[in-house]
Each structure stands twice: as structure tokens, then as C-alpha cells.
Amino acid sequence: TLILQGGTTRFGNEAKDSVSSPEGTLHGMKNLYLTDGGVLPSSMTAPGTLTIVANALRVAEGILRRAGASPVP
């Protein structure tokens, strides 16, 4: 049996129904980012490695942009 955790640190706009913001920051915390499978809305039926990596890259680009750096092409 394969168990893939998802939805444990769900992202959304409001802290009342999510743990992290769409930008990946933990609600109420500055500079703490969540980029694992927990931010996905539910468990996946297949390995979500590529989705998790794509989200981590998206969050990293946002961090670079807010720091004034250019994202890597």
C-alpha cells in the first residue's frame, strides 16, 4: 500500500481554512515557506513528485522576486 500525505498543510487565502498562503508562506509567519505535498488539497492517487517539485520551484521564484533577484531561466 502506498500512502501519500496531502492536505495536512493546505494553502489558501484565509487562515481560518488553510495553513499557508498561495505564495507558500505559513499564515502569520514571515519567511517560513511550505513546499511539500502537504499543501496540496488532498492525497494523490499516484506519486505527486512532479507536482510537488513544480510548486517548490514556483514558491522559490516568488522568494527571488520579492528579494529583488531575477529568477533563474
Side-chain angles (χ1 to χ4, degrees), residues 45-70:
T45 57
T49 304
L50 293 178
T51 303
I52 293 166
V53 170
N55 184 56
L57 290 171
R58 182 187 66 81
V59 170
E61 286 177 351
I63 292 169
L64 289 171
R65 198 171 28 260
R66 285 187 291 283
S70 297

Side-chain angles (χ1 to χ4, degrees), residues 1-67:
T1 302
L2 178 63
I3 298 174
L4 302 169
Q5 295 296 324
T8 55
T9 55
R10 205 176 268 222
F11 70 88
N13 293 321
E14 302 291 328
K16 67 180 179 175
D17 56 10
S18 61
V19 176
S20 64
S21 71
E23 292 79 29
T25 57
L26 191 67
H27 287 303
M29 301 287 293
K30 185 177 177 183
N31 295 325
L32 178 59
Y33 295 86
L34 301 172
T35 59
D36 66 347
V39 300
L40 301 176
S42 64
S43 298
M44 298 161 272
T45 57
T49 304
L50 293 178
T51 303
I52 293 166
V53 170
N55 184 56
L57 290 171
R58 182 187 66 81
V59 170
E61 286 177 351
I63 292 169
L64 289 171
R65 198 171 28 260
R66 285 187 291 283

